């Protein structure tokens, strides 16, 4: 296996070298010609940077290439064919197009000099242009005309976007334009199928249904100096009604099966989606959104989360179904005018069976190691239901959001455990056997609203109305949760050191019920400065106030019975049976100070700086009343919790955009009853919980810094980011552990100073586009370091934990025919126990992944991926295994609406259910049953119609 892993590393290097040579080969193709020029207004002689420059073939009027001038009106169009009859068309809204035929000669260059466009005035002589302008500026919106680009009849919106200059569709699904990320992709100004994921629209809508793709800047109404980039897909008038979907199923070896379906339809006002799925191959859907994305017309892609998870423990059967509705009372796209109703429902049923063996090593002192070996079997059946409804109304001056949610879950669990513990300097300490069956039903509802009233900038400050700012926000959220449950446990502990410690329990948890509720009120008023000081400048500092108030209540009802050995009857356990009511209040008023300023030069640069300081005071109180006297606790605390942030953005138009940030925050965490006064359940054989009523709140201070760079050039974008964070916690919530002669631990909650942590992350990615494909490379690195103190047998032990995660990836996409990707990642973890003579816990995990996709003739497509894994713990021999998956599929029927696919998963049958977790002074290794090799045949049909 060691040889196999070395092969994986070599394969990554080989693939990287191959992709590099491929890019060089494309770069070394025969030189192409280029044209240059400058566009001006013929009357006023000013530059026209929003003109469209397009080149067509004279023979068939097909589009060769196009661009927009830079901010100086100058343009360059490279990579044009030499010695071919071409036609240049320069157009601009409100101007007569400039049309001239040309041919690039041996010099491979052609300079048009200054091109003057004449404004349309009165009745002009008709000018016929035998082509559609591919792009134009419509006010502040850039519009790409879909009909100007020739693609396959079954092409989607994503295929078109990949062809548009300035656009990059990254491997993780992000879409950028001129290097800047597009935050949302709308269809007719609305979220498509209620989703924020652009793939739902771009991978389903056909290119021939599109009229235009618009790109525009969306300003933040709360901070006018901030803005994001958005895209909007305009459909042709006769394509604004349609439906699309998928129905598919598969069966494979080992009685493996999968089935899924989706049907979505839309009109100008209504959008509706229905989804469903069932399988026993570890494909777990977390919501309607995931099933929608996995059922797109382009099929399951590399980034699809809904696929077989070979890391999931146990055997898993899942059934899921969902529905989503969106209704827009404003059918036409109007900026800042939204009147929308949304609803979502998701049902999930899972059956899980896990068999595992775990080994937990715990350092007690430098020469003593406690080893616990546990064999367990767990069966869990759970059914959940989630529904939400939202109403959103927005105008230029007001915005309403009203939300309501419901969630319910029923769970039935059965656990069987056998465990034994040994100590290096003693030998066998004891063993235990336990059986537990538990039922639980939980339901939760929330309802609330958020309202924002914006200031009217048209009202002058020197008027009575202008002096009092009408901008404010108000929000309210109510939540309620109710649970009911019961359980039965049989457990037996046998001590190998002292028979008097032997214990046996047959315990019935007849009632484990609870009720929780909370009321949260939020309000802010940013216009305090104008209200008090009127026109006083105060150096441009903004002053506002805000407040948050949270009122919560909890009730718990527990009735516990123990079986008497004398007569076999159950009697009430007076120590665990309890009724408890808890009320909490959390009030946080704040004074908000801000200063924002910027510098801007039209079409050159934009620089903005923002400083925010929140001076907030927190008042927190808890009152607990219970049948068990130890849980009658009350406390009140008041704490000053300041926060501050600084951001600076420098946007050099057409070149790059950089951002710097620095923030300081404080937070107080308050002790809960479970830490201060837990009720000790003796049926927990290996751990005894003890409280600490003197536990104090912990106080957290954190400092974060960030830097990001984004190239804003139309071609070959790249971006990078760096984030750093450091924090310290006073009165850290920790534990004091005492072990007896049988290895049973007694855990006390304590406060300890000295907890510190630091983290850092960096990411870089680069795309390089050629005439035949796109090359993409990137890397990530993350580091976390923490110091976590605790007491073990009355001795202070400090766990110094350090982890590193690093990955590099490289990919190449050749049109729609070939996709290659390689990725290598490593994760390292060290934990040094400084209370035990520098005892050290280590783990090393690394993987190399190679994936490929090939589109063959007659709509045949092939996919494969290889993952070479290597795991090593401390000084043990490394564990190596390879997961190899492959599939061969074929699209058929008109419009490629049918699909048949043969898949082979875990071909080498090497998947292993192995995990390693380090916490404090303990390290746990777990081996579980998992999904392994299977082969499957699947078929799918994609019904779709766009237009009436």
């Amino acid at each position: 296996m060691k040889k196999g892993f070395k092969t994986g590393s070599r394969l990554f290097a080989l693939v990287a070298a191959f992709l590099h040579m491929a890019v060089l080969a494309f770069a070394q193709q025969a030189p192409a010609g280029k044209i240059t020029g400058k566009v001006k207004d013929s009357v006023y002689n000013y530059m026209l940077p929003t003109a469209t420059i397009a080149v067509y073939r004279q023979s068939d009027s097909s589009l060769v290439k196009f661009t927009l001038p830079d901010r100086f009106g100058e343009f360059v169009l490279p990579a044009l064919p030499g010695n071919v009859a071409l036609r240049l068309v320069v157009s601009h809204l409100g101007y007569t197009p400039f049309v001239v035929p040309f041919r690039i000669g041996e010099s491979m260059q052609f300079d048009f000099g200054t091109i003057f466009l004449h404004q349309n005035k009165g009745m002009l002589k008709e000018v016929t242009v035998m082509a559609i302008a591919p792009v134009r500026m419509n006010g502040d919106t850039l519009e790409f005309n879909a009909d100007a680009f020739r693609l396959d009849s079954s092409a989607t919106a994503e295929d078109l976007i990949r062809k548009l200059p300035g656009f990059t569709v990254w491997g993780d699904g992000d879409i950028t334009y001129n290097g800047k990320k597009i935050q949302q992709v709308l269809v007719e100004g609305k979220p498509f199928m209620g989703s924020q994921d652009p793939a739902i629209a771009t991978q389903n809508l056909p290119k021939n249904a599109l009229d235009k793709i618009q790109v525009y800047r969306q300003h933040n109404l709360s901070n006018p100096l901030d803005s994001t980039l958005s895209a909007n897909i305009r459909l042709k008038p006769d394509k604004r009604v349609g439906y699309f979907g998928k129905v598919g199923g598969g069966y494979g070896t080992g009685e493996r099966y999968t089935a899924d379906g989706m049907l979505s339809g839309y009109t100008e006002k209504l959008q509706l989606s229905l989804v469903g799925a069932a399988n026993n191959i570890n494909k777990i859907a977390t919501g309607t959104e995931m099933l929608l994305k996995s059922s797109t017309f382009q099929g399951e892609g590399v980034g699809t989360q809904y696929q077989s998870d070979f890391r999931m423990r146990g055997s898993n059967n899942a059934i899921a179904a969902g529905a989503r509705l969106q209704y827009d009372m404003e059918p036409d796209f109007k900026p800042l005018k939204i009147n929308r109703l949304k609803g979502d429902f998701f049902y999930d049923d899972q059956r899980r069976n896990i068999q595992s063996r775990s080994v937990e090593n715990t350092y007690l002192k430098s020469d003593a190691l406690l080893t616990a070996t546990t064999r367990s079997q767990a069966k869990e059946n759970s059914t959940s239901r989630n529904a939400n409804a939202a109403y959103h109304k927005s105008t230029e001056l007001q915005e309403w959001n009203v939300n309501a949610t419901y969630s319910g879950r029923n769970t039935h669990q059965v656990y069987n455990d056998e465990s034994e513990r040994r100590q290096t300097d003693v030998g066998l300490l004891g063993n235990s056997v336990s059986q537990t069956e538990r039922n639980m039903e939980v339901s939760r509802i929330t309802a609330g609203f958020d309202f924002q009233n914006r200031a009217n900038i048209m009202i002058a400050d020197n008027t009575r109305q202008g002096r009092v700012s009408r901008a404010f926000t108000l929000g309210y959220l109510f939540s309620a949760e109710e649970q009911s449950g019961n359980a039965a446990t049989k457990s037996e502990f046998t001590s190998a050191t002292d028979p008097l410690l032997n214990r046996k329990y047959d315990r019935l948890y007849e009632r484990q019920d609870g009720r929780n509720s909370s009321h949260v009120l939020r309000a802010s008023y940013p216009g305090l400065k104008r209200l008090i000081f009127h026109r006083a400048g105060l150096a441009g500092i903004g002053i506002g106030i805000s407040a948050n108030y949270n009122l919560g209540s909890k009730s718990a009802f527990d009735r516990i019975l123990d079986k008497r050995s004398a007569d076999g009857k159950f009697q009430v356990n007076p120590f665990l049976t309890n009724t408890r009511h808890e009320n909490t209040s959390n009030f946080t008023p704040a004074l908000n100070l801000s200063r924002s300023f910027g510098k801007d030069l039209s079409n050159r640069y934009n620089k903005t700086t923002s400083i925010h300081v929140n001076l907030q005071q927190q008042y927190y109180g808890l009152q607990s009343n219970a049948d068990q006297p130890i849980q009658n606790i009350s406390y009140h605390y008041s704490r000053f919790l300041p926060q501050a942030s600084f951001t600076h953005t420098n946007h050099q138009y057409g070149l790059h955009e950089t951002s710097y940030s620095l923030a300081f925050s404080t937070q107080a965490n308050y002790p809960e009853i479970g830490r201060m006064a837990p009720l000790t359940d003796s049926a927990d054989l290996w751990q005894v919980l003890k409280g600490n009523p003197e536990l104090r709140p912990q106080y957290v201070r954190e400092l974060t810094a960030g830097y990001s760079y984004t190239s804003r050039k139309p071609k070959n974008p790249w971006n990078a980011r760096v984030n750093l964070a450091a924090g310290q916690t006073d009165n850290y919530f920790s534990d004091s552990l005492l072990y007896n002669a049988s290895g049973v631990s007694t855990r006390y909650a304590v406060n300890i100073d000295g907890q510190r942590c630091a983290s850092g992350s960096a990411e870089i990615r680069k795309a390089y586009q050629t005439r035949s494909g796109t090359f993409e490379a990137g890397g990530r690195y993350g580091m976390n370091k923490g110091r976590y103190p605790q007491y073990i047998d009355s001795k202070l032990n400090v766990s110094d934990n350090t982890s590193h995660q690093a990955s590099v990836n490289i990919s190449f996409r050749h049109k729609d025919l070939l996709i290659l990707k390689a990725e290598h990642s490593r994760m390292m973890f060290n934990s040094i126990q400084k209370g035990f003579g520098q005892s050290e816990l280590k783990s090393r995990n690394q993987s190399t992944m190679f994936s490929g996709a090939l589109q063959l003739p007659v709509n045949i497509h092939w996919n494969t991926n290889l993952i070479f894994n290597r795991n090593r713990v401390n000084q043990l021999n490394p564990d190596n295994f390879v997961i190899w998956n492959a599939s061969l599929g074929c699209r058929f029927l008109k419009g490629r609406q049918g699909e048949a696919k043969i898949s082979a998963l875990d071909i080498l049958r090497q998947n292993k259910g192995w995990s390693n977790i380090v916490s404090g002074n303990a390290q746990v290794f777990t081996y579980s049953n998992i999904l392994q090799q299977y082969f499957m045949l699947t078929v799918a049909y994609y019904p779709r119609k766009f237009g009436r």
Side-chain angles (χ1 to χ4, degrees):
M1 283 304 302
K2 184 180 291 187
K3 180 179 179 181
F5 184 79
K6 289 182 178 178
T7 302
S9 300
R10 291 170 181 168
L11 179 60
F12 176 81
L14 180 63
V15 171
F18 168 75
L19 295 181
H20 178 67
M21 289 186 293
V23 172
L24 289 179
F26 284 120
Q28 294 171 359
Q29 294 182 33
K34 70 175 182 179
I35 62 173
T36 58
K38 184 184 297 185
V39 186
K40 286 187 174 184
D41 179 274
S42 62
V43 177
Y44 300 103
N45 201 39
Y46 52 69
M47 302 299 178
L48 294 176
T50 57
T52 301
I53 316 298
V55 173
Y56 302 87
R57 291 182 183 271
Q58 281 280 54
S59 58
D60 57 4
S61 293
S62 61
L63 179 66
V64 177
K65 206 159 191 180
F66 70 96
T67 188
L68 293 175
D70 61 19
R71 58 182 181 269
F72 304 111
E74 298 175 352
F75 66 87
V76 178
L77 264 178
L80 295 176
N83 199 28
V84 174
L86 303 173
R87 183 171 71 253
L88 174 68
V89 178
V90 182
S91 58
H92 192 288
L93 188 65
Y95 289 83
T96 302
F98 173 84
V99 184
V100 61
F102 72 99
R103 184 188 298 266
I104 299 178
E106 294 181 359
S107 66
M108 304 306 291
Q109 294 187 21
F110 198 105
D111 185 9
F112 283 91
T114 301
I115 298 173
F116 291 97
L117 294 187
H118 299 274
Q119 296 185 21
N120 288 330
K121 293 184 179 179
M123 298 298 295
L124 294 179
K125 183 178 175 181
E126 183 178 356
V127 177
T128 302
V129 180
M130 301 299 295
I132 301 172
V135 63
R136 71 164 186 168
M137 287 297 302
N138 185 2
D140 294 333
T141 301
L142 181 65
E143 295 183 339
F144 294 90
N145 197 318
D147 287 339
F149 302 89
R150 296 184 179 180
L151 295 176
D152 183 81
S153 59
S154 59
T156 62
E158 182 175 285
D159 297 323
L160 172 62
I161 291 174
R162 291 183 183 276
K163 297 288 185 181
L164 301 180
F167 278 93
T168 300
V169 181
W170 297 85
D172 59 4
D174 284 351
I175 300 176
T176 60
Y177 179 72
N178 286 353
K180 188 174 180 66
K181 182 178 178 180
I182 292 179
Q183 297 295 335
Q184 61 177 348
V185 176
L186 306 176
V187 178
E188 295 296 328
K190 303 180 284 288
F192 192 61
M193 296 300 152
S195 173
Q196 298 298 320
D197 192 325
I200 307 298
T202 61
Q203 295 185 8
N204 279 309
L205 291 173
K207 181 263 182 186
N208 58 22
L210 274 58
D211 180 28
K212 296 179 179 65
I213 292 182
Q214 301 173 320
V215 180
Y216 59 95
R217 191 176 298 274
Q218 185 77 39
H219 290 280
N220 185 342
L221 296 177
S222 300
N223 182 8
L225 297 179
D226 186 25
S227 65
T228 58
L229 206 60
S230 300
N232 181 44
I233 297 176
R234 298 302 305 265
L235 301 175
K236 295 176 180 177
D238 62 336
K239 304 294 184 183
R240 294 175 184 172
V241 175
Y243 66 84
F244 56 92
K246 176 189 177 182
V247 56
Y251 190 78
T253 57
E255 299 184 346
R256 302 290 181 185
Y257 67 86
T258 183
D260 60 292
M262 181 270 289
L263 182 62
S264 298
Y266 65 92
T267 65
E268 294 186 0
K269 286 188 175 184
L270 178 65
Q271 301 181 40
L272 178 65
S273 294
L274 303 174
V275 294
N279 71 88
N280 64 352
I281 54 174
N282 286 11
K283 295 169 68 172
I284 306 299
T286 57
T288 305
E289 180 84 356
M290 183 178 288
L291 291 180
L292 277 173
K293 187 172 181 179
S294 68
S295 301
T296 64
F297 179 70
Q298 290 198 178
E300 297 183 10
V302 176
T304 302
Q305 294 179 320
Y306 184 66
Q307 53 188 326
S308 294
D309 186 353
F310 281 90
R311 299 167 300 177
M312 181 177 292
R313 300 171 59 203
S315 60
N316 302 272
N317 293 35
I319 299 175
R324 177 177 288 177
L325 177 144
Q326 177 177 299
Y327 184 77
D328 284 87
M329 276 69 88
E330 295 279 353
D332 299 325
F333 176 42
K334 298 177 181 178
L336 299 180
K337 288 194 176 182
I338 300 173
N339 195 2
R340 178 177 300 135
L341 179 66
K342 293 174 63 176
D344 197 309
F345 174 79
F346 185 71
Y347 169 87
D348 178 43
D349 183 273
Q350 295 186 33
R351 302 287 185 267
R352 178 174 296 181
N353 189 337
I354 302 174
Q355 299 177 11
S356 63
R357 177 180 178 270
S358 65
V359 178
E360 179 179 3
N361 293 323
T362 303
Y363 281 99
L364 301 181
K365 50 187 177 180
S366 58
D367 58 348
L369 185 68
L370 178 65
T371 301
T373 303
T374 304
R375 292 176 176 83
S376 63
Q377 181 176 6
K379 294 183 178 180
E380 178 178 315
N381 300 336
S382 64
T383 302
S384 61
R385 305 159 301 279
N386 296 278
N388 65 75
Y391 174 68
H392 182 195
K393 182 177 178 61
S394 176
T395 64
E396 293 182 358
L397 297 179
Q398 292 183 339
E399 184 170 1
W400 280 92
N401 282 283
V402 182
N403 299 277
T405 67
Y406 164 80
S407 62
R409 185 178 181 88
N410 299 74
T411 306
H412 176 72
Q413 300 167 321
V414 178
Y415 298 99
N416 292 280
D417 297 309
E418 296 180 4
S419 180
E420 70 170 29
R421 298 202 173 191
R422 295 177 178 271
Q423 189 171 319
T424 52
D425 56 345
V426 178
L428 180 66
L429 300 179
N431 56 67
S432 66
V433 178
S434 66
Q435 298 176 345
T436 301
E437 183 173 3
R438 179 178 292 111
N439 296 288
M440 183 66 67
E441 181 177 351
V442 181
S443 59
R444 176 181 173 83
I445 62 170
T446 68
F449 72 88
D450 286 288
F451 174 72
Q452 180 180 10
N453 200 69
R454 307 186 183 105
N456 190 344
I457 61 175
M458 302 302 294
I459 299 178
D461 290 348
N462 58 2
T463 65
R464 183 177 181 181
Q465 288 181 312
R467 178 170 181 174
V468 179
S469 173
R470 298 190 177 187
F472 67 90
T473 63
L474 183 66
Y476 170 76
L477 179 65
F478 167 77
S479 64
E481 180 177 289
E482 184 170 339
Q483 68 176 37
S484 62
N486 58 76
T489 295
K490 295 181 179 180
S491 57
E492 183 175 0
F493 172 75
T494 304
S495 173
T497 60
D498 186 355
L500 295 178
L501 297 177
N502 294 348
R503 291 173 289 163
K504 186 176 182 180
Y505 298 98
D506 189 347
R507 182 161 291 171
L508 181 63
Y509 302 81
E510 186 179 66
R511 186 184 184 193
Q512 292 181 308
D513 300 346
R515 289 195 300 267
N516 305 330
S517 65
S518 69
H519 302 266
V520 180
L521 183 65
R522 306 176 297 274
S524 66
Y525 180 69
L528 187 63
K529 170 186 170 181
R530 185 189 298 182
L531 180 66
I532 298 177
F533 301 101
H534 192 26
R535 291 200 207 175
L538 299 182
I541 297 175
I543 303 176
I545 55 173
S546 63
N548 290 275
Y549 182 62
N550 187 336
L551 181 64
S553 67
K554 296 181 180 179
S555 298
F557 310 92
D558 297 302
R559 177 176 168 83
I560 316 301
L561 308 175
D562 284 325
K563 190 175 184 179
R564 293 191 300 238
S565 57
D567 57 9
K569 294 183 179 180
F570 283 92
Q571 65 179 5
V572 174
N573 183 315
F575 303 103
L576 295 178
T577 298
N578 187 37
T579 297
R580 187 174 70 88
H581 302 284
E582 176 187 304
N583 294 308
T584 59
S585 63
N586 184 358
F587 178 54
T588 310
L591 180 66
N592 314 122
L593 307 177
S594 63
R595 175 73 165 94
S596 297
F597 44 92
K599 188 175 182 181
D600 181 88
L601 182 60
S602 180
N603 292 323
R604 293 293 185 89
Y605 62 81
N606 176 265
K607 299 178 181 180
T608 61
T609 301
S610 297
I611 301 173
H612 295 270
V613 177
N614 292 333
L615 306 176
Q616 57 184 20
Q617 185 78 18
Q618 185 179 44
Y619 302 89
Y620 189 90
L622 179 145
Q623 177 72 46
S624 173
N625 299 300
D627 294 341
Q628 298 289 344
I630 64 170
Q631 292 192 337
N632 290 327
I633 295 175
S634 66
Y635 61 73
H636 295 274
Y637 292 98
S638 174
R639 190 80 192 219
F640 178 58
L641 301 175
Q643 295 180 338
S645 66
F646 164 86
T647 59
H648 174 74
T649 301
N650 179 7
H651 182 190
Q652 298 289 329
Y653 293 128
L655 297 176
H656 60 80
E657 184 173 349
T658 56
S659 176
Y660 306 84
S661 65
L662 184 67
F664 172 76
S665 64
T666 57
Q667 179 181 334
N669 299 319
Y670 300 93
E672 298 178 345
I673 298 299
R675 284 184 176 271
M676 301 179 73
L679 300 182
T680 301
D681 191 341
S682 54
D684 189 347
L685 301 176
W686 295 104
Q687 180 174 258
V688 179
L689 293 179
K690 295 292 185 178
N692 181 359
E694 303 301 321
L695 206 63
R696 301 184 305 276
Q698 68 176 18
Y699 181 61
V700 183
R701 295 185 296 273
E702 185 177 35
L703 182 67
T704 61
Y707 167 79
S708 67
Y709 176 93
T710 302
S711 68
R712 297 303 305 274
K713 295 182 179 180
K715 291 192 63 177
N716 307 327
W718 73 280
N719 54 68
R721 65 170 181 85
V722 177
N723 292 306
L724 302 172
Q728 177 176 314
T729 303
D730 298 333
N731 294 331
Y732 175 64
F733 293 154
S734 188
D735 299 312
S736 177
L737 300 174
L738 298 175
Y739 291 87
N740 67 11
S742 298
V744 177
S745 66
T746 301
R747 183 182 298 267
Y748 294 86
V750 295
N751 291 115
I752 306 180
D753 288 333
Q755 189 278 333
R756 295 190 293 271
C757 60
S759 64
S761 65
E763 180 181 4
I764 185 172
R765 62 179 183 177
K766 167 73 175 177
Y768 181 81
Q769 296 176 327
T770 71
R771 283 182 289 171
S772 299
T774 300
F775 171 86
E776 185 180 328
R780 294 183 180 181
Y781 171 75
M783 181 277 294
N784 291 276
K785 187 173 182 60
R787 184 180 188 274
Y788 303 94
Q790 65 178 157
Y791 289 101
I792 299 176
D793 287 336
S794 301
K795 183 178 181 180
L796 179 64
N797 176 61
V798 177
S799 297
D800 269 352
N801 299 339
T802 304
S803 66
H804 301 270
Q805 306 91 28
S807 66
V808 293
N809 63 80
I810 185 171
S811 65
F812 178 71
R813 183 186 185 101
H814 175 61
K815 298 182 179 179
D816 297 323
L817 303 179
L818 176 66
I819 302 174
L820 297 175
K821 182 177 182 180
E823 182 174 354
H824 183 72
S825 62
R826 291 193 177 194
M827 183 176 70
M828 296 170 284
F829 182 87
N830 278 20
S831 180
I832 300 176
Q833 310 303 308
K834 292 191 173 179
F836 304 131
Q838 304 293 313
S839 299
E840 189 172 8
L841 304 173
K842 295 181 179 180
S843 69
R844 302 286 187 273
N845 303 320
Q846 56 183 343
S847 67
T848 301
M849 184 273 291
F850 167 72
S851 66
L854 179 64
Q855 180 69 48
L856 299 171
V858 296
N859 289 322
I860 296 177
H861 52 90
W862 171 77
N863 291 271
T864 188
N865 64 73
L866 280 163
I867 305 177
F868 297 82
N869 300 276
R870 180 182 178 91
N871 303 320
R872 185 170 186 173
V873 177
N874 298 328
Q875 304 304 318
L876 302 177
N877 291 329
D879 190 17
N880 304 305
F881 61 97
V882 180
I883 299 179
W884 180 20
N885 305 321
S887 68
L888 183 66
C890 176
R891 282 292 183 97
F892 56 93
L893 300 180
K894 183 179 179 181
R896 302 173 64 242
Q897 292 181 254
E899 182 182 49
K901 183 167 63 176
I902 300 175
S903 303
L905 289 302
D906 189 20
I907 297 174
L908 303 180
R909 199 179 180 83
Q910 292 187 7
N911 190 32
K912 297 181 180 181
W914 183 94
S915 67
N916 169 40
I917 299 175
V918 176
S919 176
N921 64 320
Q923 186 169 27
V924 183
F925 313 93
T926 304
Y927 302 85
S928 308
N929 64 315
I930 54 168
L931 180 67
Q932 287 188 313
Q933 182 191 80
Y934 69 93
F935 302 88
M936 179 171 286
L937 172 66
T938 58
V939 294
Y941 176 70
Y942 296 85
R944 47 202 281 111
K945 181 181 179 181
F946 300 91
R948 299 184 184 275

